[in-house]
Amino acid sequence: MYFEPHHHDFVDFTSTAPGAGPEQVVVAGAGPVGLAVALGLARRGVAVTVLEAGDSVCHGSRAICLSRHSMEVLDRIGVGGEFARLSLPWTTGRSHYRDTEVLAFAMPHGEADVRAPMVNISQSVAEQILLDAALAEPRIKLRWKSRVTGVTQDDGQVTVEAETPAGPRVLRARHLVACDGAHSAVRKALDVHLEGTSYEGRYVIADIHWESELPTERQAWFDPPSNPGQTILLHRQPDDIWRIDYQIDADEDPEEAIREENVRAVITRHLEWLGTRKPWTLEWSSLYRAHARALGSFLHGRVLFAGDAAHLVPIFGVRGLNSGLEDADVYAWALAAVVNGGADERILRTVADERRDAWRQNAEQAEKSTLFMTPGTDGYRLTRDAVLQLALARPVLTHLINPRQSSATHSRTSPLTHTAAPAASGPLPGDPLPDLKVVPVGGEETGLHALRGATFSLIAAATAADAARVASELSAHLPVTALATEGEPAPGVPVLGHEAATRLGLAEGEALLVRPDGLVLARIRTGEPLGPLTRHLTDQLTAGGAR
C-alpha cells in the first residue's frame, strides 16, 4: 500500500517575549535532516523548536537509498531499529548496455559488518519514523505551517521571524540550524547563495506499485531497446513499490515529459520488454535535475546550514540525504557541547568547515557518476557510449562504469583531527570507525557502535585497567567511554577480544579515540604521555581554548 502522509493542524504558540532569555536552538525545516538534528540535540538534553512551513512529511519516495553509515547515525538518535525493520537491504547492482549486461558489482560487505552497505526505504516513510520519534520527545516542539520570513542576529542570539495562520511570530534563540531544503527561506533571509555546477540532463522519477519477483538490487540500462537513447534505473522498495528513473532528451519539454500518459508510456514499454505482464499502478512522479552546488560557508554567525539548505549533490551515487544525515550527526554533538556549556562556540566553525569539505568529497565522486549517467552534451554522450561499447568486448574496462555508491566522508584535514601517531593499518585519524560485530567477554554479540554509544570513546588494544586509566586522564577534557581488547572486563569497561583489535588494525598498546559521530579523532599509544593529545583537545574543544 502506498504511503499517504497525515496532515497536521497548526497549534498556535507565543513569540519570545522581549528581554526574555532566548530558546536554546531553533531548527528550520521538519524534513529528515531537520528532524535528525532535533533528535540528536534532544537526546543530549537540548531543547529544540522546529519550524516547518508545511503540514506533513513529504509525499513520494524521493531519496530512497540509505547507506550503512546513515543507519549508524539513525541508531545514535534512537530510530535505527525501526528503519531496519521497514527497509530492504541490498549489496549488488547490474548495468546493461542495450540488452547486454556490462557490469555486475557488489559493494564492500563482510560477515563482520553489522549492516548491509545500503538499504531502500521511501523518504516519506523515513520522515514519518523520524517524526514519530520527535513527537514522543518532550524536548522537541514542532510548529507546523510556520514559514520562516526573516532572520537577524547579533553576538548573543538569532531572531527568527515566521508567518503562521495566526499571524507573525518571532522566536529568539542561541542558535539556528537551517534544514529547510533546496529553496531555503533562511538562505534567502540572510542573502547567501549556493554556488557550483548545474548539469543539463533531466530525469523523470516515478514510483509504481508492481508485484515483481526481481531481486532487491540496483539495475541500470543504457540505451535499452525498450526506450532507445534513454538511461533507466530501477530500485525495489518495501511493499511492492518500485522506483523507476529515466532520462529525457535534452530537447524534450519537461512539462510534456511529466504528463501522466507520457510517464506511463515509457514505463509500460520497459516493463513489457523485461517480459512482465503483471499489472502495475503509477503512484507518484516528479522531475529531477542534477546539481553540485554549495554555500561557501556552512556557518553564518549563529546559523548553521545542513542538508539541501547547505549543499546539493547529484542523485547518482545516492549522496544527498546520506550527506545530510552526516551533517545532522556532526552538528548535533558539537552544538550540544556548546549549548551545554563545555565547548567554545568556535567548534561550530570547525565542524561547519568539515561538512563543507565533505560536500567537496561527495561532489568530486558524484560529478564522475553524473557525467556518465546524464551526459548533457553530444560529446559526453559519445564518450559514455564508447566506454559501454568497449566494455562489451573488453570486460577489463567495466570499472569505468562504476556507479560510485555513497560512502561515509572523512575529516582527515580537520583541525580537530589529531594525527601524531601513524597507522600501520586500520582507520586513519579522521576516518569513520567501521561498525563491526563484536562479542564482549562474558556478553552477547552486538555492534561496536552500539557498545561504545554516542559519546567520545576510547578503544584500546590493552587491558581494561589500562583503557580505564587512559580514559580517566582524558576525562578532564571530555567524557570518554573506555573499551578494551584484552584481559577481563572491569567496571564499565567491556573487553572486545583480540579479534576486534586485529580488525581495527590496532597493535598492542595502540588505541583509537573516537568522536560521538563515529569519526576517529586520534590514534595514540597508551603507554606514552598524553600531553600532546590533551593540549590538542583543550585547544580545539573546551571553552576558552577552541580556535
Side-chain angles (χ1 to χ4, degrees):
M1 186 173 182
Y2 199 68
F3 179 89
E4 291 294 338
H6 171 74
H7 294 272
H8 299 264
D9 294 329
F10 168 74
V11 177
D12 200 7
F13 60 97
T14 57
S15 297
T16 307
E23 301 192 32
Q24 291 185 315
V25 177
V26 168
V27 171
V33 177
L35 291 172
V37 169
L39 285 165
L41 288 168
R43 298 287 195 260
R44 292 173 168 88
V46 178
V48 187
T49 297
V50 181
L51 299 176
E52 169 54 46
D55 65 356
S56 73
V57 302
C58 75
H59 181 66
S61 62
R62 302 176 190 270
I64 64 168
C65 300
L66 292 179
S67 69
R68 174 186 282 135
H69 188 64
S70 289
M71 294 296 282
E72 295 168 14
V73 173
L74 296 166
D75 266 346
R76 283 191 276 274
I77 58 176
V79 295
E82 189 67 357
F83 269 83
R85 187 179 72 84
L86 294 177
S87 61
L88 293 177
W90 59 282
T91 61
T92 61
R94 302 176 188 278
S95 295
H96 311 261
Y97 181 45
R98 295 175 180 162
D99 59 355
T100 304
E101 183 178 299
V102 291
L103 173 71
F105 70 88
M107 292 175 286
H109 182 57
E111 291 184 3
D113 291 317
V114 172
R115 300 168 187 81
M118 204 74 69
V119 301
N120 285 354
I121 185 171
S122 168
Q123 183 175 323
S124 55
V125 175
E127 287 187 16
Q128 188 63 53
I129 296 171
L130 290 161
L131 175 60
D132 289 343
L135 291 171
E137 172 52 65
R139 293 188 180 92
I140 297 176
K141 293 179 288 187
L142 276 155
R143 308 302 190 193
W144 301 102
K145 300 182 182 179
S146 300
R147 181 173 58 88
V148 173
T149 56
V151 177
T152 56
Q153 53 187 323
D154 56 30
D155 290 342
Q157 64 184 24
V158 57
T159 300
V160 184
E161 300 171 38
E163 186 61 40
T164 78
R169 295 291 183 267
V170 177
L171 295 179
R172 296 176 176 85
R174 290 180 59 184
H175 300 277
L176 168 65
V177 187
C179 308
D180 52 343
H183 303 288
S184 171
V186 177
R187 266 201 335 255
K188 181 178 179 181
L190 293 178
D191 195 26
V192 294
H193 309 278
L194 302 178
E195 299 176 351
T197 302
S198 293
Y199 297 92
E200 293 301 321
R202 286 180 171 85
Y203 268 72
V204 170
I205 58 178
D207 289 344
I208 66 171
H209 184 269
W210 179 41
E211 294 181 2
S212 171
E213 300 303 318
L214 289 175
T216 305
E217 62 181 4
R218 171 200 176 273
Q219 294 229 49
W221 290 267
F222 300 95
D223 195 19
S226 60
N227 290 282
Q230 291 183 334
T231 301
I232 297 181
L233 298 170
L234 181 66
H235 271 286
R236 177 192 282 273
Q237 299 180 63
D239 301 320
D240 292 318
I241 301 297
W242 291 79
R243 167 72 168 268
I244 298 179
D245 303 9
Y246 60 89
Q247 186 181 6
I248 63 174
D249 292 336
D251 58 356
E252 189 171 353
D253 182 351
E255 291 187 8
E256 280 294 307
I258 201 65
R259 285 176 56 184
E260 183 173 331
E261 60 266 35
N262 294 329
V263 175
R264 286 182 178 276
V266 173
I267 295 174
T268 295
R269 288 196 302 270
H270 192 66
L271 296 187
E272 288 182 351
W273 176 69
L274 289 176
T276 181
R277 296 290 178 178
K278 288 188 175 181
W280 58 274
T281 57
L282 179 64
E283 302 288 344
W284 170 82
S285 61
S286 185
L287 196 67
Y288 171 79
R289 183 182 178 188
H291 304 276
R293 310 183 70 194
L295 291 172
S297 171
F298 292 0
L299 178 67
H300 289 263
R302 307 185 76 80
V303 182
L304 279 163
F305 285 86
D308 286 355
H311 50 76
L312 301 174
V313 289
I315 197 172
F316 312 109
V318 296
R319 293 173 175 83
L321 178 53
N322 289 302
S323 61
L325 290 173
E326 281 188 5
D327 294 345
D329 198 23
V330 176
Y331 288 172
W333 75 258
L335 191 52
V338 170
V339 172
N340 291 334
D344 191 281
E345 289 187 357
R346 285 172 288 182
I347 188 62
L348 301 181
R349 166 56 60 195
T350 296
V351 295
D353 288 348
E354 285 182 3
R355 297 312 304 155
R356 180 61 167 72
D357 183 66
W359 170 81
R360 180 193 57 77
Q361 296 171 43
N362 279 319
E364 286 177 355
Q365 291 299 312
E367 179 180 29
K368 300 170 186 175
S369 299
T370 302
L371 292 176
F372 199 88
M373 295 300 301
T374 177
T377 66
D378 290 341
Y380 278 125
R381 182 178 291 275
L382 284 170
T383 302
R384 192 273 308 276
D385 290 350
V387 169
L388 290 165
Q389 186 70 43
L390 286 168
L392 291 174
R394 300 290 301 274
V396 71
L397 298 176
T398 57
H399 70 279
L400 297 174
I401 311 172
N402 176 12
R404 298 177 177 84
Q405 295 299 123
S406 175
S407 58
T409 55
H410 63 77
S411 65
R412 293 174 193 160
T413 61
S414 169
L416 183 55
T417 300
H418 185 64
T419 57
S425 62
L428 297 169
D431 285 351
L433 181 77
D435 197 11
L436 303 173
K437 295 176 183 176
V438 292
V439 182
V441 174
E444 298 181 354
E445 183 179 87
T446 184
L448 183 56
H449 282 297
L451 194 61
R452 73 174 194 86
T455 63
F456 288 93
S457 53
L458 182 83
I459 305 172
T463 65
D466 283 342
R469 174 184 55 78
V470 175
S472 177
E473 288 187 50
L474 296 174
S475 64
H477 308 274
L478 70 170
V480 176
T481 300
L483 295 87
T485 66
E486 299 177 12
E488 293 298 319
V493 184
V495 173
L496 310 180
H498 181 70
E499 183 182 354
T502 301
R503 295 200 305 245
L504 293 171
L506 289 174
E508 184 178 355
E510 284 188 326
L512 299 174
L513 181 60
V514 184
R515 297 168 18 164
D517 52 31
L519 298 181
V520 176
L521 190 155
R523 192 177 188 108
I524 61 174
R525 295 200 63 84
T526 58
E528 295 179 357
L530 295 178
L533 175 58
T534 57
R535 286 192 295 272
H536 175 82
L537 296 175
T538 300
D539 189 46
Q540 294 296 325
L541 286 169
T542 59
R547 295 182 181 176

